[in-house]
Amino acid sequence: MATTQPPLTGLAQRLVNDGVLPAHEAREAFDAARHNAQPLVEYLLRRDLVEPDAIAMCASREFGVPAIDVAALDPDVLTQDFDEGLVRRHQVLPLIRRGDSLHVALADPADVRALDAIKLATGIDIEPTVAAADRLGDAIEQYFARERADAPTFDHGDSDLSDEIDLEAVETDAPPVEEAEQADDTPIVRFVNRTLLDAIRAGASDIHFEPYEARYRVRFRTDGILREVSAPPSNLGNRLAARLKVMAALDISERRIPQDGRIKMTLSKTRSIDLRMNTLPTLFGEKIVLRILDQSRTRIGIDELGFEPAQEQSYLDALKRPQGMILVTGPTGSGKTMTLYAGLHLLNDATRNIATAEDPVEMHIDGINQVHVNARVGLDFATALRSFLRQDPDVVMVGEIRDLETAEMAVKASQTGHLVLSTLHTNSAAETLTRMRNMGVAPFNLATSVSLVIAQRLARLLCPACKRPIDVPREVLLREGFPQTDVEDGFILYEANPQGCGKCRNGYRGRAGVYEAVEMTPEMSGIALEAGDSVRFAEQAKRHGFDDLRAAGLKKVMRGATSLAEINRITLAGQPSS
């Protein structure tokens, strides 16, 4: 039985009625466009079946919208400062704003997707006007050519080098941007590239692009401290955000919700940098933060982290065990991941199956199976860990223990022949077991699974070239917690030179870890079995001779590695160093 074709409707029938297209060609175009899920206007234009002017006039009559010759428009009257990616993606030219409505020109006034995207981006009603597609494309090019010519031409130092780096987006769920969206806005491109290179050279860990009502600023976090490095004109905020989002292959038309992406910078044949990017809609635009992830830093050895000799040996001994749990704790930005990565590098050989679940995966390590957890699709830490246990692992790293299910899975793994490494957010080693118990982990499981707890902070190191000695009264030293025997023997305290020198910034250069490493001795396990509180854990650790964070920090002060002011900053209030 033959099927009846649906009748021609809308623009297809209008083209036939106006004698622009024969009925059989209109039918073929109508059916093909539907089959390809493609707008009819786009199908006709791509195959040159109808002249753009004829399509525009028919569309104007069919949809009841005015037609306009965009070639005759005065560019000075057009609405300015519009997102280039949004305009190019949807081929919609902003014309003029009247009251609460924005008049735009487009080739297909039935393109609801384009009209909705413009409305969502601007927050106002859209009034469509139809234009011939060929002249519309030319007008859009002229629109942005004029806007770029009006932009201030600022640079940021040695601009030649900024064109030499190779940039590519990596690990993003967003669709790749079209080539048309990547037209160089030269001042913006040079400024962004220059900023990224300056941050890498300065050893920054993060770059902050921040819009405010009357100003815009860029800040670097270096050695854990944020500092402002530049203040581009505030009206360039949207263009800076768009450029960074293009580099990370994010949706540049979406400004209402946060987005995540990554950029890979190839600096040379032997060195590349990953930049993890997050956008955040704020009152005056999108704040963008880039986390700089230097792959070379993942190969740091345990002896370079800053452990005291006894603490380093405790970590090495725990890593040599075939099973058990190593917990690293501390606030955000205290270097926990780097401590775990150093341990994984030591374990990473052909005889071991190592798997990690991370949120996000900060560094790629060859030879280790790394999983980026994604709670939106049901892949959380517990799910990943459950799958790991079915893949014959020797070593498992869980990025963070956040809930009882993950904690119980980690404990089970450590009790069944696996070495488990993970992190928690607590302020001291003593509080870690209490936190696990408060999550619901049974005291017996804690006592039999945990082998080592490490608490840590990051302390800025004094610049060897300009640090200066200071005299501190004996009574003050004792009150600060320095051992009396060391005070009697004498040592030299140093402070930072606030002016710094050519080799540092404000007297500090680089950071090192300050650690508390507590082994689960039989006595500590006994306290865990009795559900003892953190005070009892801390007292027992002290009796065993395990340095707490402050004691370990004061040892670095006595060696002249850092200042007393810096150790007070990171330990007295229990604050992170970044």
Side-chain angles (χ1 to χ4, degrees):
M1 180 177 179
T3 58
T4 303
Q5 290 182 319
L8 289 178
T9 58
L11 182 60
Q13 186 62 51
R14 170 67 64 175
L15 292 169
V16 175
N17 293 344
D18 289 0
V20 175
L21 201 63
H24 70 281
E25 291 187 15
R27 165 58 64 186
E28 291 175 1
F30 181 77
D31 291 343
R34 289 185 60 188
H35 178 75
N36 297 328
Q38 187 178 15
L40 177 61
V41 170
E42 181 180 333
Y43 183 88
L44 295 171
L45 289 169
R46 284 183 180 273
R47 287 158 181 79
D48 293 324
L49 296 176
V50 183
E51 289 295 324
D53 279 331
I55 293 178
M57 295 309 298
C58 288
S60 174
R61 287 191 288 269
E62 177 63 29
F63 299 113
V65 299
I68 188 172
D69 182 4
V70 290
L73 290 174
D74 181 357
D76 290 332
V77 304
L78 299 181
T79 299
Q80 299 298 313
D81 195 24
F82 220 81
D83 186 277
E84 182 171 356
L86 184 64
V87 170
R88 291 186 180 280
R89 178 190 295 256
H90 298 290
Q91 287 293 288
V92 177
L93 179 66
L95 299 176
I96 189 169
R97 178 169 178 171
R98 288 195 178 101
D100 293 330
S101 297
L102 175 67
H103 292 258
V104 300
L106 70 169
D108 183 4
D111 189 350
V112 177
R113 179 184 174 192
L115 296 173
D116 285 347
I118 300 294
K119 183 175 181 178
L120 288 172
T122 60
I124 59 177
D125 291 333
I126 304 301
E127 295 291 341
T129 301
V130 66
D134 52 353
R135 287 197 284 273
L136 178 65
D138 292 340
I140 289 174
E141 291 301 326
Q142 293 175 10
Y143 174 81
F144 286 111
R146 176 182 178 277
E147 198 171 51
R148 280 194 291 273
D150 291 341
T153 56
F154 61 96
D155 210 332
H156 199 44
D158 179 15
S159 61
D160 292 336
L161 183 58
S162 66
D163 293 328
E164 296 175 4
I165 60 175
D166 182 25
L167 296 151
E168 61 176 296
V170 294
E171 291 188 7
T172 177
D173 296 330
V177 293
E178 299 294 333
E179 291 183 5
E181 295 175 15
Q182 301 186 39
D184 281 349
D185 190 351
T186 302
I188 300 295
V189 170
R190 288 183 178 275
F191 178 77
V192 170
N193 288 356
R194 183 74 263 163
T195 299
L196 300 184
L197 286 169
D198 284 351
I200 293 168
R201 287 171 173 164
S205 60
D206 303 89
I207 312 171
H208 295 240
F209 294 84
E210 302 172 312
Y212 297 96
E213 183 174 15
R215 65 190 182 102
Y216 194 98
R217 71 178 178 184
V218 180
R219 293 193 290 173
F220 295 168
R221 186 181 293 279
T222 310
D223 292 339
I225 305 297
L226 277 170
R227 63 183 180 90
E228 185 171 335
V229 295
S230 63
S234 59
N235 64 340
L236 298 181
N238 287 341
R239 294 189 201 172
L240 289 169
R243 172 59 186 166
L244 289 165
K245 289 164 80 173
V246 165
M247 292 165 64
L250 300 181
D251 185 352
I252 61 179
S253 66
E254 179 57 79
R255 300 180 182 178
R256 301 162 301 150
I257 59 175
Q259 297 185 69
D260 293 292
R262 291 178 83 110
I263 303 167
K264 186 181 185 66
M265 292 180 62
T266 301
L267 301 178
S268 67
K269 292 182 178 179
T270 59
R271 188 184 183 197
S272 63
I273 303 289
D274 281 344
L275 303 169
R276 192 178 78 223
M277 176 170 155
N278 175 263
T279 72
L280 178 68
T282 67
L283 193 59
F284 300 106
E286 289 180 287
K287 173 174 178 175
I288 294 179
V289 176
L290 298 172
R291 170 64 60 88
I292 300 175
L293 307 173
D294 190 345
Q295 295 291 342
S296 63
R297 294 178 65 234
T298 65
R299 294 185 289 274
I300 189 171
I302 290 178
D303 57 338
E304 301 174 69
L305 294 173
F307 282 110
E308 297 300 313
Q311 296 173 336
E312 180 178 326
Q313 191 58 52
S314 294
Y315 191 22
L316 292 173
D317 290 344
L319 290 170
K320 291 175 183 177
R321 296 178 182 175
Q323 67 182 55
M325 185 185 299
I326 301 173
L327 297 174
V328 181
T329 182
T332 300
S334 58
K336 301 185 296 295
T337 301
M338 197 57 61
T339 298
L340 291 180
Y341 277 179
L344 290 177
H345 269 292
L346 190 66
L347 297 170
N348 187 17
D349 60 40
T351 67
R352 294 186 178 91
N353 178 19
I354 304 177
T356 73
E358 305 173 59
D359 184 18
V361 175
E362 294 203 1
M363 302 286 187
H364 300 166
I365 305 177
D366 185 56
I368 293 180
N369 307 289
Q370 296 173 274
V371 174
H372 186 145
V373 302
N374 186 348
R376 289 177 296 179
V377 298
L379 180 59
D380 54 19
F381 284 116
T383 303
L385 186 52
R386 190 177 295 110
S387 296
F388 288 167
L389 296 182
R390 293 194 288 266
Q391 296 214 339
D392 186 33
D394 298 296
V395 181
V396 171
M397 187 187 97
V398 182
E400 183 182 348
I401 294 178
R402 298 175 178 172
D403 51 47
L404 176 59
E405 184 181 11
T406 306
E408 289 183 334
M409 289 296 300
V411 166
K412 177 182 176 182
S414 68
Q415 292 174 332
T416 54
H418 308 91
L419 180 61
V420 178
L421 292 79
S422 190
T423 72
L424 283 91
H425 285 282
T426 61
N427 287 324
S428 68
E431 294 175 27
T432 302
L433 297 182
T434 305
R435 173 69 60 83
M436 293 276 284
R437 193 175 67 244
N438 290 341
M439 284 184 183
V441 179
F444 172 81
N445 285 332
L446 288 175
T448 57
S449 62
V450 178
S451 56
L452 180 69
V453 181
I454 299 173
Q456 70 177 84
R457 303 290 188 276
L458 288 177
R460 291 178 294 169
L461 300 177
L462 288 168
C463 173
C466 68
K467 67 180 182 181
R468 54 195 189 189
I470 56 172
D471 291 326
V472 180
R474 176 179 180 277
E475 302 77 36
V476 174
L477 294 176
L478 292 173
R479 189 166 61 247
E480 291 286 350
F482 289 97
Q484 184 168 353
T485 54
D486 291 306
V487 172
E488 298 294 341
D489 292 341
F491 54 86
I492 301 175
L493 258 65
Y494 292 89
E495 67 176 2
N497 178 2
Q499 287 72 42
C501 64
K503 298 180 179 180
C504 70
R505 182 174 295 106
N506 304 123
Y508 292 98
R509 188 176 68 186
R511 290 191 292 177
V514 176
Y515 296 91
E516 176 184 9
V518 178
E519 300 175 25
M520 284 298 288
T521 64
E523 293 80 4
M524 300 292 283
S525 296
I527 295 174
L529 278 170
E530 297 169 5
D533 58 24
S534 59
V535 175
R536 288 186 61 190
F537 280 116
E539 290 174 347
Q540 185 61 46
K542 189 174 183 180
R543 283 194 288 270
H544 282 304
F546 300 132
D547 287 337
D548 60 16
L549 286 168
R550 181 147 186 90
L554 293 179
K555 287 183 177 180
K556 283 182 166 54
V557 174
M558 288 188 287
R559 290 198 300 271
T562 190
S563 67
L564 179 59
E566 177 68 3
I567 294 304
N568 285 342
R569 184 179 74 87
I570 67 170
T571 63
L572 287 183
Q575 296 296 320
S577 59
S578 64

